[in-house]
Amino acid sequence: MTADRQPLIECEHCASIYRRHQLEPGETANCARCGAVLWRYSGLTLSNWLALAITALIVFGVANAYPVASMSVQGMVQQASLLDSISITWRQGHWLVSIMTGLAGFALPLLQLTVLLWVLGPLSRGREPADFHAAMRLLGALRPWCMVPVFLLGVLVAVVKLAGMAAVAPGIGLAAFGVLTVLLTMLGRLSPHVLWRYAESVGVVPVHVPEAGSDVVLTGCHVCGQVQALPRDADPEAHHHCVRCDAVVHYRKPDHVARTWALLLAAVVFYIPANVLPVMKVSSLLGDSAHTILGGVVELWQMGSWDIALIVFIASVAVPLTKLLALILLLLTEQWRSTTNLGARTRLYQMVEFIGQWSMLDVFVVILLAALADFQGLMEISAGAGAAAFGVVVILTMLAAMSFDLRRSWDLEGQSEIESAPVEGRHAPVSVSGKQVG
């Protein structure tokens, strides 16, 4: 394929346009402008990915069929799986908490694996999957909300919290969730953009290379990654349709500042009851007690589990607060039309995206404790109002990060620089493992 017919790729953070090169083993292509990772070399074939997805689905079944832990009190034994935890939380009347954890820990990961199998099977045989366009849109929507690794960490925290109260033993499900976390982390590299590139490589979808010119601007589809030419004089927030997958394409996200502020302020409102109200209530023969997030951290510290206390503090206190403050900073610098430290702000935004789901840790801990300590008349643990509020904070901050458009800030810088976004008829070099490749 000649250089001018090589597929194009857009940096999702600064909107620079590049020609996609073949990488050597171990190489990673980084944006020469903002440093973001554009694509990585992978030695796995479509058949290899299919085998991983099938294995992950089998392990998923094992992880949910067997208990992750068991608890013994005065000769009584209580075992708990993820589904047990969700069911007991629902039975206790905490429907919102049950729905959030059920979706994030079970339903959405299962649907993600199903979609991957749906597309990888035909692609591995050189055929286009049925409803490929819709499947890729669904996969893109699912990926941020699948929180199996967070549940795994929640199990470990719950076991440590209960170890001082009773005999607690890990179950087969815990080991299966550990393996599943590794497999899902590997499969996490199969974003819709990557799968569309695999479909191009096996020839089931055409390679479309748009022509750049003075009357058009280049931008990428958020669903399939296809770079396409839009009229330069069009409204930046106008609706267009992708030439490849027919998804709605915006040159820039519409009303991104107003939407992000609205979601962020809503998260701040819920953040107060999430920290003031108890996330967990304990009823036993010794009396009733309620625990807030910080109270749980202090309890773990007093038990001598300072390492677990630190993990919970980071995930449940530091991470949500960091997300809120980071998004506020990004919004203010955008409204001030600042172009300083754009590289650092890009890395800050990437951090916010990465840590988004880990704040759900305390909610998973609570539902697992409720399932393990479900001894009627002797001990019972249930979620508090703070757990539901905290889950809402996690969802709102993740939606706020998705609504923010960092490319707007890079556009401001591009107005005074030659290397700007979008690029007209020229494609900047890509940094590949420390080398500059034209």
Side-chain angles (χ1 to χ4, degrees), residues 80-404:
S81 65
L82 171 60
L83 293 178
D84 292 332
S85 304
I86 296 167
S87 174
I88 289 174
T89 303
W90 180 276
R91 191 186 68 200
Q92 292 174 341
H94 303 287
W95 303 311
L96 182 57
V97 175
S98 180
I99 292 172
M100 287 189 295
T101 52
L103 287 174
F106 180 80
L108 298 185
L110 177 59
L111 185 55
Q112 180 187 23
L113 287 172
T114 304
V115 172
L116 284 174
L117 289 171
W118 178 271
V119 300
L120 286 172
L123 283 178
S124 65
R125 296 190 295 272
R127 302 202 315 265
E128 181 178 355
D131 298 318
F132 187 45
H133 304 64
M136 290 299 93
R137 283 198 285 270
L138 178 59
L139 181 63
L142 290 174
R143 293 176 76 243
W145 306 102
C146 298
M147 304 183 185
V148 168
V150 184
F151 174 71
L152 174 64
L153 184 58
V155 175
L156 299 177
V157 173
V159 168
V160 172
K161 286 176 74 76
L162 291 173
M165 303 166 54
V168 182
I172 296 175
L174 179 58
F177 266 110
V179 175
L180 181 62
T181 296
V182 174
L183 293 172
L184 289 179
T185 301
M186 296 175 66
L187 290 169
R189 291 198 174 187
L190 285 181
S191 67
H193 293 195
V194 172
L195 286 167
W196 274 103
R197 291 200 286 271
Y198 271 118
E200 287 178 346
S201 67
V202 298
V204 299
V205 297
V207 177
H208 173 75
V209 181
E211 297 294 335
S214 59
D215 59 337
V216 298
V217 292
L218 301 181
T219 192
C221 172
H222 73 284
V223 174
C224 70
Q226 173 65 59
V227 174
Q228 48 215 290
L230 302 181
R232 173 169 288 280
D233 56 358
D235 183 349
E237 298 181 356
H239 285 65
H240 303 276
H241 287 274
C242 178
V243 297
R244 180 163 68 180
C245 72
D246 201 41
V248 174
V249 174
H250 297 285
Y251 171 58
R252 295 293 181 262
K253 295 177 183 178
D255 301 323
H256 82 116
V257 171
R259 292 179 185 223
T260 307
W261 269 122
L263 291 165
L264 197 57
L265 291 176
V268 171
V269 170
F270 279 96
Y271 186 71
I272 297 172
N275 286 273
V276 174
L277 297 177
V279 295
M280 181 176 68
K281 297 178 180 179
V282 181
S283 298
S284 67
L285 297 177
L286 301 177
D288 299 338
S289 61
H291 303 264
T292 61
I293 292 174
L294 280 175
V297 173
V298 172
E299 182 182 358
L300 283 169
W301 187 277
Q302 292 174 342
M303 290 168 53
S305 303
W306 60 268
D307 47 351
I308 302 297
L310 183 61
I311 291 173
V312 175
F313 177 80
I314 292 174
S316 301
V317 179
V319 166
L321 190 58
T322 299
K323 285 194 297 183
L324 291 172
L325 295 177
L327 286 170
I328 289 173
L329 176 62
L330 290 169
L331 281 167
L332 291 176
T333 51
E334 166 70 20
Q335 290 186 291
W336 294 335
R337 300 179 66 83
S338 171
T339 58
T340 59
N341 298 320
L342 277 176
R345 283 155 57 186
T346 300
R347 290 189 291 273
L348 179 64
Y349 179 70
Q350 290 173 319
M351 180 199 70
V352 170
E353 287 187 308
F354 175 75
I355 66 177
Q357 61 178 232
W358 288 96
S359 301
M360 194 66 82
L361 172 65
D362 237 31
V363 183
F364 279 117
V365 171
V366 169
I367 67 165
L368 189 61
L369 291 176
L372 285 173
D374 187 32
F375 297 100
Q376 298 294 328
L378 182 63
M379 176 186 293
E380 185 176 353
I381 295 178
S382 62
F390 197 80
V392 173
V393 171
V394 176
I395 293 171
L396 289 173
T397 52
M398 290 178 67
L399 290 173
M402 295 175 192
S403 299
F404 185 73

